[in-house]
Amino acid sequence: MQPTLSVITIVYNNVRDIERTICSVLGQTYPQIEYIIIDGASTDGTKEVIAKYENRISQYISEKDKGIYDAMNKGIAMAKGDYILFMNSGDEIYAANTVERVFTTRPGADIYYGETEMYNDNWESLGKRRHHVPESFTWKSFRYGMNISHQAIYVSRKLAEPYNLEYKYSADIDWIIRAAKKAQLIINTHQYVAKYLVGGISKQKHRESLKERFHIFSKYYGFVPNLFNHGIIAFNLLLYYIRHRRTND
């Protein structure tokens, strides 16, 4: 039996990019996909674009929310699939056969993950993320930075608790760590699985996001070890920037 994947797209006023994301999901060769779109009551034409595909979308709501993670929680509550993947507006599943290839790596995992290719605002490739995907991933793997992007991780729905709305900018880190702590089998697919549009709320509110990340890492890894780990993060960031003149987070 093929597992069902619930792909959840969160969008608000992003008429420029939403169609690209929708097509990357609907164009998958894998048949068992439940596609859910949560729109925050867009007013820029986004809803009109979604309407073009509404007969191929499993579930769709357009209503005001309390922020991106509140919208994501709505998606989790609606999801019926065996696994959950968040592919927010502007991002893409890497290729048409990506989901099919992910689930053929090994059946029955709690979490599947892979690599992400970064893209700028003009949809030009920036290459892979600065934080390389670890060969083996556990809940402790984020101690030197978020080395798996949110778009590149397939989480079993039974592990997918609601996002902690105490965090406004980095709740995805807390969410993945909590899921990984409960996971018994985590599989590296050894492939690119997502294309990520650089930006988003964590970049727009970068300072606030960094503060939240520090708090989250301290909660799980301890305050003093986290101070030491952030020294390593800062050093690696400086080296990467000197070499590439960008951060590629």
Side-chain angles (χ1 to χ4, degrees), residues 13-130:
N13 282 348
N14 191 14
V15 67
R16 186 192 71 172
D17 298 312
I18 184 61
E19 189 163 28
R20 182 164 45 76
T21 300
I22 291 173
C23 289
S24 84
V25 178
L26 297 181
Q28 289 298 303
T29 58
Y30 190 77
Q32 298 295 105
I33 292 180
E34 174 193 47
Y35 193 23
I36 300 169
I37 297 183
I38 311 294
D39 173 61
S42 293
T43 58
D44 69 337
T46 294
K47 291 192 290 186
E48 287 72 19
V49 174
I50 296 171
K52 292 163 53 178
Y53 302 93
E54 199 163 355
N55 64 337
R56 300 178 62 192
I57 296 168
S58 307
Q59 300 189 68
Y60 163 54
I61 60 171
S62 180
E63 62 186 27
K64 290 188 178 297
D65 53 56
K66 299 174 185 176
I68 185 170
Y69 297 117
D70 178 48
M72 288 180 170
N73 281 345
K74 292 179 182 180
I76 291 174
M78 295 168 67
K80 298 181 176 67
D82 301 296
Y83 294 87
I84 287 176
L85 170 68
F86 282 96
M87 193 58 55
N88 293 341
S89 183
D91 304 326
E92 293 184 16
I93 298 176
Y94 193 77
N97 65 347
T98 293
V99 176
E100 183 178 352
R101 292 178 62 196
V102 164
F103 284 129
T104 57
T105 53
R106 181 168 174 179
D110 293 309
I111 292 174
Y112 297 90
Y113 68 96
E115 188 60 84
T116 304
E117 187 172 359
M118 312 285 281
Y119 283 76
N120 66 16
D121 207 44
N122 295 319
W123 204 243
E124 299 165 331
S125 176
L126 301 173
K128 68 167 57 177
R129 298 178 71 237
R130 174 171 59 87

Side-chain angles (χ1 to χ4, degrees), residues 188-200:
N188 184 350
T189 64
H190 293 101
Q191 61 181 289
Y192 279 93
V193 298
K195 297 178 181 180
Y196 170 56
L197 178 63
V198 175

